[in-house]
Amino acid sequence: MKYKWDKKYLYWGVTAFLVIAASILISRVMPSWEIIMGWGDSMLNGIIPLVFGMVFAYILFPLTNFYEKKVFCKLMKPKNPRTPRYVAVACALATAVAFVTILLFMIVPQLYQSAERVVTRTPAYLENGAKWFEGFLDDELPFGGFAREMYENAVQYASSWLQTDVMPYFSTVVTNLTSGIAGVISTMINISLGLIVSIYILSGREKLNARVRKLSNAVFGSNITRKTAEVLMVAHKTFGGYLSGMALDSIIIGMACFIGLSILQVPYALLVSVIVGVTNIIPFFGPFIGGIPSGFLILMESPIKCLVFVIFIVVLQQIDGNLLKPRIVSHTTGLDGLFVMMSILFFGELWGIVGMLIGVPVFMVIYMLVKSFCEKRLRAKNLPEETQAYFNSGEDTAAESGEKA
């Protein structure tokens, strides 16, 4: 009897073998999982300066290109054609460091003065609040006895909470503070190394780009390399255009806020303007993130000035949202408000403030790639590409079916 080969049995046999092999591999790897995770953390820590360097290089590239093409290539006639590039990189880095240094010298004294005022005036605020509250504890007033009973219960609960919950975690707070200081030092080291990496990237970006293309062509082929380059170009135009437009808008808003608050004689005008300008980069939630702590800071100084600040910031944000921002970033907008909010919430949950900052441009890149894919598929099927053509398409199809019937 001749045996008949069945591919189904081969499929199940290979599947069973792979499952058994994977189980054995997992059982061998699991005891060493902590060691593997430690290696992964070490590799990640080694990559962080490189990531910082790429981010710094991307941010400094427009300034470097401006210095090189518009300034030093016209002023210098060196023997080495790369000399303007090196000088441009140095000037761009010096400009960025000077800008950050000036900004810190402007903010830190204001922040110190604000903290000092809050600390020195807090006892007076608490004393006035206590006197105001004690007026409600008079038993002769309506609900006075009830208010006194609630006050005593609140004091007892607060005392118990401090003894049972807060004090045991004091050592944990000290430990976290120590680790936080170590984290700040580690971040500063990574930033310093990132700046050095960005200098190498900016100085030899053409050669680096050529090496990456060479490697990609060797591994993936020219077709995938070309498509990847097209996707990266779309991402660069969308991402860079959006961030540059939002940065320009935030600078204008910060300057307008400082001028307005100075005219209105609102305290902490410089500090508040910097906070409002920086947080304005975040869509939707930026005005609240910057406005709420700024309003509270001004409230500690003067409730009337706080009200003036709230009215002024609402008017300023209305002007920015309806007139200024659409004109500056009009070439990168196109997302519905729902998509913008979804991107902010999703990426904000993943990466915090950084996610809220880059969530919209990242989602815009994904949106444009999906849109390009859909339009290409629709053209292949001889279908309209405009979204307007699909409004009420179900009703039109039903009506055409009724007419044929």
Side-chain angles (χ1 to χ4, degrees), residues 255-268:
M255 294 176 62
C257 183
F258 176 71
I259 295 173
L261 295 182
S262 299
I263 295 174
L264 296 173
Q265 297 182 351
V266 175
Y268 313 116

Side-chain angles (χ1 to χ4, degrees), residues 158-266:
S159 176
S160 175
W161 175 71
L162 289 173
Q163 293 178 1
T164 59
D165 296 334
V166 176
M167 295 304 295
Y169 290 101
F170 183 75
S171 59
T172 305
V173 172
V174 174
T175 303
N176 293 335
L177 182 61
T178 304
S179 62
I181 295 174
V184 170
I185 296 174
S186 176
T187 302
M188 296 301 297
I189 294 175
N190 289 330
I191 290 175
S192 302
L193 295 175
L195 289 174
I196 298 174
V197 172
S198 67
I199 294 175
Y200 284 98
I201 293 175
L202 291 171
S203 300
R205 55 181 181 268
E206 290 87 359
K207 189 174 183 179
L208 180 61
N209 183 38
R211 286 177 173 174
V212 172
R213 284 178 175 272
K214 178 182 177 181
L215 178 62
S216 180
N217 283 326
V219 177
F220 302 107
S222 59
N223 189 28
I224 295 179
T225 301
R226 179 179 55 80
K227 292 182 178 179
T228 304
E230 293 176 355
V231 171
L232 292 177
M233 185 58 65
V234 171
H236 167 66
K237 290 181 178 179
T238 304
F239 200 88
Y242 179 85
L243 289 184
S244 60
M246 291 297 292
L248 177 60
D249 176 72
S250 296
I251 292 173
I252 295 174
I253 289 300
M255 294 176 62
C257 183
F258 176 71
I259 295 173
L261 295 182
S262 299
I263 295 174
L264 296 173
Q265 297 182 351
V266 175

